[in-house]
Amino acid sequence: MAHTEPQTAQAAAGYQPRIVAFVCNWCTYAGADLAGTSRMLYPPNVRIVKLPCTGRIDPLFILKAFEGGADAVLVSGCHPGDCHYTSGNYHARRRWAIFRRLLDLTGIDERRLFFSWVSAAEGAKFADLIRSVTAKVAAIGSFEPANPARRRPWK
Amino acid sequence: MEMIATLRADAAKLLSEGRAKLVIGYQARGMHRAPLFVSDPAKVDRLVYDEACKQNLAVYLRKPEVRVKGPAAIVAPPAVMRSLMVLASETQLAEATVLAVDTNAYHGVLDLAGVAALLKEKYADLAPPKELFDELAKLNAMSPEERARFWTGQFAKCTRCYACRAACPGCYCLRCIVEKNVPQWVSTAAAQHGNYEWHVIRAFHQAGRCTLCGACEAACPQGIPLMLLNLTISEEIAKRFGEKAGYDPAAKPVVGSWKPGDDEEFIR
Amino acid sequence: MKTLDANKLSDLAAALAAAGYRVVAPLKDGAEVRMKEWAPGAAIDIGPVPVNSIKEFLFPRTEVVAKFSLEGNDFKPEPFETPAPKTAILAVRPCDASAMAALDKVFNWEYKDDPWNARRAATTLVSLVCTAADEDCFCTSVGGAPDATAGADAILRPADGGKKLILESLGAKGEALVAAAGAVVAEGRAKADSPAQVPVRFDAKAVAEWCAGNFESPLWREVSLGCLGCGACAYCCPTCHCFDIQDEATRTESVRLRNWDTCGLGLFTLHASGHNPRPDQASRWRQRVMHKFSYFVEKFGILACTGCGRCGRICPGGMAIAQVCKEIDEARKAVAK
């Protein structure tokens, strides 16, 4: 099974991964805030979209991010048991497990889709997560323009 | 031949006794099989059933012009019976009069409870044909790039006719996500990313509810292998949550419920 | 007369491609046959009626009609021209070729549709006489025939028991195509096979007359019970032409698209107020039949149905328009008795 070779030429040419992160307001967003106020350094490649809860994340959001050319999507929320709305993240967990498989089948594989639990106290975990995701996505190269999920220029 | 005669006799009896105002079944028109809507007991001899009957008739139980005719009885092979279970579990169907049939046997007139019992007793191991599993295995053995190319080719055929949606008993939203235009979430152009999003979202909206009846793929005028999407999701759900749609009329929706121990190995 | 072996259509396609044509032909596609863009190696099959019509090669499922660029507060139209490559469509069924008349009328009615006209001018249609018909064909019920030449620039006639094809030019575009075919077609003699027998299935004129006087008839609901409101029939139909205009934009550019649309969908006539003048499938089916058999005749003098039978072949709900017309015809006769 061949995976894409690291696109070193791309990296040399200054390819910067564009990562969209859908995060919940109460945990991961607060955790990201904590990383910032603590002046923890992490790569600037992630664009954060804040939602009240991971339970609000419609799979369509993930698709739209890839449509627009995101090289990877990260979805992150409260640890199980900590959800501000009690069970939103439990619903999200089931949804992600199934959606992930469906995307993998149709050509958006697990190298570009990441899920995590990051609490409001885990500023360090957030920074570490972004560093690790960015490095992985830099290694695998940009999202193929020919992927069926991507918007293509109209002719 | 005898079983179809009994089915027709039962249908006629339901109509003449007023237990149903309409019988929804299949008819033959040359090589085609089409739905049949019979309200006259004298016309039940047009009812047929064979393996060429691919439509899932459960879709008609939600059609306003059919409902307005009064209580309907429905000719139901196992795939349709399972759809009735899903609809019942989603409070879309309170009761039903079912003429339960498959290619080898006719099981008589049943209500929803009777259908649930029959499915458990005789059809617990229903599965799509082996060829479909083989096709899926071939697809899963490809690299992600090869799979992307495969689906690019398949989705390029899609004209966005929505026959798949129309043929599916599980697709009953009054306003579908593709028809939401404030904002227009999914491009309505029959081209790449819009087609991709449509098929992925539609398959996902059937997660845990799809009974793998195959009506969508049969309805597709372009021959897109939709069952590969449905089977992938169905297998993942069976593996992770041990659920199989369409047997329990009181089942909780799979994607709408959760257990504390649901696997999260893929979550960092 | 010019003839070629019936199994040498790929050579004809290759010769035309070499002469600069984009070639479209009926190609094997799994168990079916579809009109598709030909490439060397593709298997041409003129046996079954293709699942799709040729409409999409002249009126695409989705096409750009205008482009704009956005810069700050500036909104600038960009020059855009419809791509209209020189195209040859081979083995077009007479029912698909005769559909050109209806589409030419609609797209040149009060407004000249440049994208349609550009592609139409660039396309040469080579018809194929049908020597076999199936139970869904009904060209003879709507004024057509399996050997009709309407809309075609050239015609292929199966001959000598299907072993040969006679290529006959019907005009200037046809002459150019025959010339481009070069040595693939040779002077020769062959006896044209008989066209298919297609029985008349209903009286189209009587159906139109009945429609005119029965707008509110409950029969519309009865005949349309099987319809689930998808667009499969409209999209495979060679004459259906409704479209939707959609603007799609990013932060820097915008395109105006013309996408196929269908009156079968519930929301087709939904007003912004929430009112829907065709609120049920019965009224939408009435529209479908009357547009093709009544309104189009009033406006343009011709039917907007060519009897190709595709709707009957692909509809999961059994809603062949021929079947509906038959039921109307039968109901009309029952009342007349």
Side-chain angles (χ1 to χ4, degrees):
Chain A
M1 199 192 304
H3 284 267
T4 312
E5 292 305 312
Q7 292 172 29
T8 44
Q10 227 179 28
Y15 152 60
Q16 283 294 341
R18 294 186 306 167
I19 301 161
V20 178
F22 296 102
V23 308
C24 81
N25 172 66
W26 302 96
C27 285
T28 303
Y29 192 79
D33 234 6
L34 179 60
T37 53
S38 309
R39 302 288 183 260
M40 296 182 197
L41 285 178
Y42 59 85
N45 302 69
V46 66
R47 287 94 161 127
I48 294 179
V49 178
K50 181 176 69 136
L51 293 138
C53 176
T54 49
R56 169 59 182 105
I57 297 169
D58 190 312
L60 251 184
F61 299 174
I62 299 173
L63 291 179
K64 298 304 275 185
F66 283 118
E67 175 195 319
D71 299 305
V73 170
L74 165 65
V75 186
S76 182
C78 304
H79 289 263
D82 293 348
C83 177
H84 185 84
Y85 305 98
T86 316
S87 57
N89 56 353
Y90 287 124
H91 287 286
R93 183 169 64 180
R94 274 216 175 178
R95 212 179 282 155
W96 298 341
I98 302 161
F99 197 63
R100 184 173 173 258
R101 179 74 267 272
L102 182 60
L103 285 191
D104 178 61
L105 177 86
T106 53
I108 301 180
D109 66 288
E110 61 211 17
R111 293 170 302 156
R112 297 197 183 275
L113 189 51
F114 303 88
F115 300 92
S116 66
W117 305 132
V118 174
S119 82
E122 290 179 311
K125 180 175 179 186
F126 183 80
D128 193 51
L129 176 68
I130 299 303
R131 269 180 235 122
S132 133
V133 167
T134 305
K136 285 190 180 137
V137 179
I140 61 169
S142 62
F143 191 37
E144 299 79 17
N147 190 287
R150 275 196 81 156
R151 187 191 315 126
R152 240 71 63 72
W154 287 100
K155 279 185 285 193
Chain B
M1 271 323 293
E2 201 196 271
M3 81 179 208
I4 199 72
T6 317
L7 186 155
R8 288 173 184 157
D10 280 350
K13 194 145 166 268
L14 286 168
L15 289 170
S16 56
E17 286 176 0
R19 283 166 61 195
K21 286 283 177 9
L22 184 72
V23 172
I24 306 169
Y26 300 93
Q27 61 176 317
R29 275 210 204 108
M31 299 294 289
H32 301 305
R33 299 290 174 269
L36 177 69
F37 304 90
V38 153
S39 28
D40 178 357
K43 299 234 170 78
V44 298
D45 54 337
R46 288 167 65 192
L47 287 166
V48 300
Y49 184 69
D50 58 32
E51 61 278 319
C53 298
K54 301 250 189 283
Q55 299 90 333
N56 190 323
L57 297 178
V59 282
Y60 291 105
L61 291 176
R62 294 203 45 80
K63 193 178 168 190
E65 289 98 318
V66 169
R67 294 175 83 162
V68 89
K69 287 183 162 288
I74 181 168
V75 172
V80 178
M81 285 193 266
R82 284 176 66 190
S83 295
L84 297 177
M85 295 289 101
V86 173
L87 290 173
S89 73
E90 294 175 355
T91 68
Q92 298 300 317
L93 205 58
E95 66 212 12
T97 307
V98 176
L99 295 131
V101 71
D102 74 28
T103 44
N104 298 314
Y106 170 57
H107 301 286
V109 179
L110 301 169
D111 61 11
L112 282 181
V115 166
L118 177 71
L119 284 170
K120 212 165 116 181
E121 187 198 323
K122 289 207 160 31
Y123 299 108
D125 296 322
L126 275 181
K130 181 179 176 296
E131 291 77 31
L132 184 63
F133 285 93
D134 293 343
E135 280 300 311
L136 186 57
K138 268 205 307 222
L139 197 57
N140 283 325
M142 294 181 193
S143 72
E145 288 78 15
E146 287 169 324
R147 282 202 287 276
R149 264 200 300 279
F150 173 83
W151 288 109
T152 296
Q154 294 300 335
F155 294 147
K157 301 194 285 189
C158 178
T159 59
R160 305 292 285 283
C161 71
Y162 304 120
C164 49
R165 175 182 78 180
C168 175
C171 273
Y172 52 78
C173 285
L174 292 175
R175 194 137 178 183
C176 175
I177 185 68
V178 288
E179 285 156 355
K180 185 171 168 65
N181 60 357
V182 186
Q184 185 77 50
W185 272 104
V186 182
S187 167
T188 56
Q192 280 312 314
H193 65 271
N195 287 358
Y196 181 87
E197 283 167 20
W198 164 242
H199 286 290
V200 167
I201 279 299
R202 199 189 93 75
F204 186 74
H205 283 186
Q206 300 307 316
R209 314 167 58 230
C210 172
T211 61
L212 300 173
C213 74
C216 52
E217 191 172 292
C220 177
Q222 299 293 87
I224 299 169
L226 300 170
M227 289 300 283
L228 291 171
L229 301 170
N230 301 330
L231 184 62
T232 296
I233 293 176
S234 171
E235 289 287 282
E236 191 70 14
I237 287 175
K239 188 177 82 183
R240 283 181 179 272
F241 313 119
E243 304 275 0
K244 193 172 171 187
Y247 286 91
D248 179 2
K252 283 205 157 67
V254 170
V255 184
S257 46
W258 54 272
K259 291 206 177 81
D262 282 342
D263 171 68
E264 53 176 58
E265 182 262 335
F266 62 95
I267 303 174
R268 189 172 139 165
Chain C
M1 53 174 63
K2 297 259 188 230
T3 64
L4 70 153
D5 286 341
N7 58 8
K8 292 277 191 267
L9 275 170
S10 295
D11 291 354
L12 175 62
L16 295 174
Y21 286 92
R22 171 179 76 137
V23 181
V24 174
L27 303 181
K28 275 205 220 297
D29 189 1
E32 294 169 322
V33 169
R34 285 197 166 78
M35 298 301 290
K36 281 165 105 164
E37 219 172 288
W38 178 89
I44 297 180
D45 187 346
I46 58 171
V49 176
V51 174
N52 57 335
S53 75
I54 59 166
K55 180 172 77 175
E56 66 197 76
F57 303 103
L58 291 137
F59 171 47
R61 300 169 194 171
T62 175
E63 62 174 320
V64 177
V65 291
K67 269 189 177 173
F68 306 91
S69 62
L70 307 160
E71 226 176 270
N73 287 330
D74 249 337
F75 180 80
K76 224 175 45 167
E78 295 291 319
F80 178 79
E81 217 178 279
T82 301
K86 186 169 88 157
T87 302
I89 310 186
L90 301 179
V92 180
R93 297 296 170 141
C95 47
D96 288 338
S98 59
M100 296 293 112
L103 293 171
D104 282 339
K105 288 209 188 284
V106 165
F107 286 123
N108 287 287
W109 178 5
E110 288 151 347
Y111 179 80
K112 304 273 172 266
D113 191 277
D114 295 332
W116 169 264
N117 287 331
R119 292 199 179 88
R120 186 85 169 87
T123 302
T124 303
L125 292 183
V126 183
S127 264
L128 171 78
V129 170
C130 299
T131 50
D134 68 17
E135 55 190 358
D136 291 292
C137 293
F138 64 99
C139 55
T140 50
S141 309
V142 289
D147 58 350
T149 55
D153 301 301
I155 190 156
L156 288 160
R157 297 181 193 281
D160 291 352
K163 292 206 196 68
K164 280 190 140 39
L165 293 164
I166 301 168
L167 177 58
E168 185 188 320
S169 160
L170 298 167
K173 276 188 190 167
E175 300 291 352
L177 182 133
V178 173
V184 174
V185 282
E187 276 299 328
R189 307 242 58 205
K191 184 162 183 295
D193 299 332
S194 310
Q197 293 290 341
V198 186
V200 172
R201 314 224 191 252
F202 59 88
D203 181 348
K205 200 144 168 288
V207 166
E209 273 164 23
W210 181 90
C211 288
N214 288 279
F215 197 77
E216 303 291 352
S217 167
L219 184 64
W220 289 116
R221 187 185 332 151
E222 298 310 311
V223 300
S224 65
L225 281 175
C227 178
L228 294 164
C230 73
C233 58
Y235 292 173
C236 69
C237 173
T239 59
C240 277
H241 50 266
C242 282
F243 56 82
D244 179 37
I245 300 290
Q246 285 270 329
D247 285 343
E248 293 196 4
T250 64
R251 273 173 302 138
T252 53
E253 58 172 17
S254 167
V255 288
R256 177 152 293 170
L257 301 170
R258 175 163 72 182
N259 302 328
W260 283 0
D261 205 351
T262 162
C263 62
L265 290 175
L267 301 188
F268 186 74
T269 47
L270 182 66
H271 294 180
S273 64
H275 170 63
N276 190 342
R278 294 185 205 143
D280 54 19
Q281 213 62 51
S283 51
R284 296 191 278 272
W285 252 92
R286 178 181 61 201
Q287 161 63 20
R288 182 166 177 72
V289 173
M290 291 193 69
H291 189 171
K292 290 176 177 301
F293 288 84
S294 202
Y295 309 143
F296 211 85
V297 178
E298 279 166 29
K299 271 234 124 57
F300 300 114
I302 58 173
L303 288 166
C305 174
T306 60
C308 75
R310 285 193 180 87
C311 52
R313 285 181 207 106
I314 56 105
C315 176
M319 299 298 300
I321 204 169
Q323 175 66 27
V324 173
C325 287
K326 252 177 38 193
E327 288 177 32
I328 291 173
D329 207 8
E330 276 154 24
R332 177 193 65 91
K333 288 192 192 119
V335 165
K337 280 210 198 82

